[in-house]
């Protein structure tokens, strides 16, 4: 499984950005795609996730810090997952990674097996 994250950049506080994640390879029919972020000197944290399954999937889950500001969505036909980030704050500055968990029954916040290279988001106040 390969993942490619894109869409990062430098923005001002209050601005919006949309990150994209392209998923390719043999994911299986049931899996979860998650977004994580890692700020300098800090651990990598879960941000949001969305499930894929033969029965539809589409369940989402967010970290409390981004709830009501960020929205995760998917484009099944093109194997894309997006993270719409609104009302960005300086504390959202981090490198953002997308990752795949091999199960899709719920949105997992740990145990992701495949990772992309990340895209940098910088928010200036």
């Amino acid at each position: 499984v390969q993942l490619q994250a894109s869409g990062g950049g430098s923005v001002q506080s209050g601005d919006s950005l949309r990150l994209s994640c392209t998923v390719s390879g043999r994911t299986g029919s049931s899996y979860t795609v998650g977004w994580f972020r890692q700020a300098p000197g800090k651990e990598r944290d879960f941000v949001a996730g969305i499930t894929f399954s033969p029965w539809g999937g589409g369940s989402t889950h967010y970290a409390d810090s981004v709830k009501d500001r960020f929205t995760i969505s998917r484009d099944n036909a093109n194997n894309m997952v997006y993270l719409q980030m609104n009302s960005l704050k300086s504390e959202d500055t981090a490198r953002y990674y997308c990752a795949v968990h091999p199960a899709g029954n719920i949105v997992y916040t740990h145990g992701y097996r495949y990772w992309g290279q990340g895209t940098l988001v910088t928010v200036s106040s």
Side-chain angles (χ1 to χ4, degrees):
V1 176
Q2 294 81 43
L3 301 103
Q4 179 77 35
S6 62
S10 296
V11 296
Q12 298 288 319
S13 179
D15 285 350
S16 298
L17 272 179
R18 189 177 81 156
L19 305 184
S20 300
C21 176
T22 303
V23 182
S24 60
R26 305 181 75 168
T27 58
S29 60
S30 183
Y31 59 98
T32 301
V33 175
W35 284 98
F36 292 76
R37 66 186 182 186
Q38 187 168 22
K42 296 189 176 181
E43 294 185 352
R44 187 162 55 190
D45 292 327
F46 173 83
V47 174
I50 190 165
T51 61
F52 291 76
S53 83
W55 304 277
S59 296
T60 59
H61 179 67
Y62 299 89
D64 288 343
S65 59
V66 305
K67 204 171 293 184
D68 299 327
R69 297 189 298 124
F70 291 10
T71 302
I72 190 170
S73 62
R74 61 183 189 172
D75 178 349
N76 291 351
N78 294 303
N79 295 322
M80 298 286 294
V81 173
Y82 304 100
L83 185 68
Q84 178 67 43
M85 306 186 297
N86 298 329
S87 303
L88 283 162
K89 306 175 181 180
S90 57
E91 51 262 45
D92 295 317
T93 294
R95 181 167 291 277
Y96 284 71
Y97 299 86
C98 56
V100 166
H101 189 290
N105 52 319
I106 61 171
V107 177
Y108 291 86
T109 60
H110 296 83
Y112 284 71
R113 186 175 298 174
Y114 306 101
W115 294 84
Q117 87 294 351
T119 185
L120 184 62
V121 173
T122 303
V123 184
S124 302
S125 57

